[in-house]
Amino acid sequence: MNKEAPLSIAERDFILNALREDVRLDGRQADQLRPLKVTFGEEYGHVKVQLGKTSLIVRISSEVTKPRDDRPFDGLFAIALELTAMGSPAWDNGRQGDLEAYVAHVLDRVVRHSNALDTESLCILKGVSCWSIRADIHITDYDGNLIDAACIGVMAGLQHFRRPDAVVKDGQVIVYGLDERVPVPLNITHKPLSVTFHTFDEGKRVILDATRKEEQASEADVVIGVNNAGDVCFVSKFSGSPVDALVFVTKSSVALEKVKEINGIIDKALQTDLAKRAKTGLAEESRAENDR
């Protein structure tokens, strides 16, 4: 059950009238992101994302398991999201609402279905054993644009993660500890991210990276998933009023620009983490080449 109080008519009108004057409550331009900060923990695949006042933690984990019977050469990859009262008092623990289902669906389509992670590289022994990679997302504070923040966290975590090395000897799988062999990075084929827009005033006003109040006042949302090469891997309009098809066309170029900007921030954070590990003697692990 969503216990969040709706916006008052006065608040809604104030936001809309400000947008008609090309003004947002926090002073940003229509296509401007809030400040984004990506930091990594000591554990591989542990990442914190701060997008404005929206913050979350993503943890990537791995285990050896049996591949699916219909995909004997592929490993497994899953994204898990649960909205709890820790992130917002509007969310109930243990109850899946529309927002949770929708965010999980978008992440699955943008990251997993676009094959951002090469699951074939996770195969250890055909039909017998493979790596299962799991991304767990924990929301610590929610102030709008949960989809984009979560997608940033998942992609950053996948690039930062290192799995244990494993070999097959005499038909048996041997997994080495991190202290025995240099861990192996995941094979990332491309770096897609989602970019979310919201429409106002019968579609005349379109803004990027809405806050929670802007989301509540909006008429509809548009999500575009794209990578650095400009390949669009997902397009969605979840709910609300109809959106002119021209919005999808014009905002695709904006989405590409923002994806390049965000991936640049992620790359810089990865380099900072690499430099930090170099000082503590972990540079060899961080620079480990993919064994594929």
Side-chain angles (χ1 to χ4, degrees):
M1 180 182 297
N2 192 324
K3 298 178 291 188
E4 188 167 15
L7 285 180
S8 67
I9 296 177
E11 285 180 301
R12 191 179 301 272
D13 289 345
F14 182 80
I15 292 173
L16 179 56
N17 289 331
L19 288 174
R20 287 170 176 160
E21 300 293 330
D22 294 324
V23 175
R24 297 178 70 173
L25 299 185
D26 53 10
R28 286 182 292 149
Q29 300 296 317
D31 290 337
Q32 185 178 352
L33 279 171
R34 288 174 289 178
L36 171 63
K37 185 177 182 181
V38 178
T39 54
F40 299 101
E42 291 185 10
E43 181 184 353
Y44 284 121
H46 188 276
V47 56
K48 180 179 180 181
V49 175
Q50 183 85 37
L51 180 60
K53 293 182 180 179
T54 295
S55 62
L56 54 84
I57 295 172
V58 174
R59 181 179 179 271
I60 310 296
S61 59
S62 64
E63 65 175 352
V64 176
T65 186
K66 185 179 183 299
R68 291 168 46 186
D69 292 337
D70 58 337
R71 303 295 293 270
F73 288 100
D74 281 11
L76 306 177
F77 174 42
I79 300 174
L81 167 71
E82 184 179 2
L83 305 185
T84 66
M86 178 175 66
S88 170
W91 301 335
D92 284 334
N93 295 339
R95 287 191 180 184
Q96 186 182 58
D98 292 340
L99 177 62
E100 181 177 331
Y102 180 53
V103 173
H105 170 73
V106 173
L107 293 175
D108 198 58
R109 290 290 173 177
V110 173
V111 180
R112 195 171 71 87
H113 280 260
S114 71
N115 296 319
L117 173 60
D118 178 17
T119 53
E120 285 190 10
S121 65
L122 301 176
C123 179
I124 302 174
L125 188 59
K126 174 193 171 183
V128 177
S129 61
C130 68
W131 285 104
S132 175
I133 305 298
R134 177 184 170 101
D136 287 286
I137 306 167
H138 307 278
I139 315 302
T140 53
D141 200 1
Y142 175 48
D143 185 35
N145 202 8
L146 184 57
I147 291 175
D148 295 356
C151 195
I152 292 169
V154 171
M155 286 305 303
L158 290 175
Q159 293 174 68
H160 184 255
F161 184 67
R162 303 287 187 273
R163 63 166 177 80
D165 194 14
V167 297
V168 179
K169 289 185 178 180
D170 300 324
Q172 297 294 320
V173 176
I174 300 175
V175 179
Y176 292 95
L178 299 184
D179 56 340
E180 295 177 299
R181 283 199 179 183
V182 175
V184 182
L186 300 176
N187 189 12
I188 307 299
T189 60
H190 68 132
K191 302 174 183 178
L193 293 170
S194 64
V195 180
T196 303
F197 301 88
H198 282 80
T199 63
F200 300 79
D201 201 12
E202 298 180 350
K204 298 185 184 70
R205 307 286 172 179
V206 184
I207 65 171
L208 170 77
D209 184 24
T211 63
R212 183 63 189 128
K213 286 193 174 182
E214 287 174 333
E215 287 182 347
Q216 288 180 294
S218 69
E219 298 171 345
D221 68 335
V222 171
V223 182
I224 300 175
V226 63
N227 61 20
N228 272 26
D231 301 319
V232 176
C233 52
F234 180 81
V235 176
S236 170
K237 192 194 85 66
F238 176 50
S239 62
S241 304
V243 175
D244 194 305
L246 193 59
V247 170
F248 291 89
V249 177
T250 57
K251 292 305 177 182
S252 291
S253 58
V254 176
L256 174 58
E257 175 189 332
K258 296 304 173 184
V259 165
K260 289 181 177 180
E261 177 185 338
I262 294 169
N263 273 327
I265 293 173
I266 294 174
D267 290 341
K268 186 176 180 180
L270 288 167
Q271 290 301 317
T272 300
D273 181 75
L274 175 62
K276 178 181 176 182
R277 290 175 181 275
K279 293 180 180 180
T280 58
L282 297 176
E284 183 181 0
E285 291 184 6
S286 299
R287 294 195 184 96
E289 292 294 330
N290 196 303
D291 63 353
R292 180 173 169 77

